Amino acid sequence: MIKINIYAVGSIKEKFFKEAINEYSKRISKFAKINIIEVDEIKLQNKDENKVKEKEGEELLKRIKDSEYLIALDLNKKEYDSLSLASHFSSLIDSGKGEIAFVLGGSLGLGENIKKRVNESITFSKLTFPHQLIRIFLLEQIYRSFKIINNESYHH
């Protein structure tokens, strides 16, 4: 079974976000082993934004395995629709990528140290969303991709 890891800066505190994350994680578990790994978001408080992003990146890099195909969610990168994302996801799986990982930055985004490690970067929208919602959007799109790949009905 394929493994999917989601590395995220910051934790989810709101119950309604946690419920959505748990629901989609449960749905995905039919198709893949899914893990969400969180690192603490560093509060800016008179610190340089780039230093904060680099420090968060260091914490992420300690957890990311070399063997993982890493996809960053980053603004202004390649944008997919649901069908093309499912096709891309399927091609990664078919090419033998047994572990696919996604990385989500904190409120300041991703540091250059993470951007250098990723295999590719994608965006869900040119709009800006809170990281809690992006985590839910990502899980929903992973689930939708598996449904499409397996020719199971799911609105797309």
Side-chain angles (χ1 to χ4, degrees), residues 12-22 130 132-133 136:
I12 305 294
K13 294 171 183 48
E14 300 85 356
K15 182 181 176 191
F16 54 93
F17 285 140
K18 285 182 180 180
E19 288 172 353
I21 289 166
N22 290 338
Q132 301 97 320
L133 279 179
I136 295 167

Side-chain angles (χ1 to χ4, degrees), residues 128-146:
T128 303
F129 296 101
H131 64 93
Q132 301 97 320
L133 279 179
I134 288 297
R135 197 177 305 186
I136 295 167
F137 292 165
L138 173 59
L139 287 164
E140 191 279 336
Q141 285 300 305
I142 292 169
Y143 175 66
R144 183 181 298 268
S145 291
F146 277 118

Side-chain angles (χ1 to χ4, degrees), residues 11-121:
S11 59
I12 305 294
K13 294 171 183 48
E14 300 85 356
K15 182 181 176 191
F16 54 93
F17 285 140
K18 285 182 180 180
E19 288 172 353
I21 289 166
N22 290 338
E23 178 61 29
Y24 280 111
S25 295
K26 186 175 92 178
R27 291 180 186 192
I28 292 167
S29 69
K30 174 182 173 188
F31 304 102
K33 185 177 188 314
I34 183 132
N35 294 303
I36 299 173
I37 301 98
E38 298 175 338
V39 300
D40 291 336
E41 186 166 21
I42 298 171
K43 302 297 177 219
L44 190 55
Q45 301 173 352
N46 301 323
K47 294 180 185 164
D48 178 275
E49 282 190 19
N50 288 325
K51 286 183 181 173
V52 168
K53 290 190 291 188
E54 293 297 308
K55 182 67 176 154
E56 289 171 346
E58 288 171 15
E59 291 304 312
L60 290 165
L61 287 169
K62 288 178 187 175
R63 292 156 177 84
I64 295 169
K65 295 179 235 153
D66 291 340
S67 60
E68 292 177 302
Y69 186 87
L70 187 62
I71 302 170
L73 269 67
D74 198 359
L75 288 174
N76 302 314
K77 298 299 178 183
K78 183 167 183 167
E79 197 169 7
Y80 288 93
D81 62 27
S82 294
L83 292 174
S84 60
L85 182 63
S87 176
H88 180 57
F89 204 54
S90 179
S91 69
L92 290 174
I93 294 167
D94 292 345
S95 70
K97 306 282 188 267
E99 289 186 270
I100 298 173
F102 295 87
V103 62
L104 307 169
S107 58
L108 299 174
L110 294 168
E112 289 303 314
N113 52 356
I114 286 290
K115 290 180 180 182
K116 288 176 185 169
R117 164 56 182 90
V118 301
N119 298 95
E120 68 176 293
S121 297

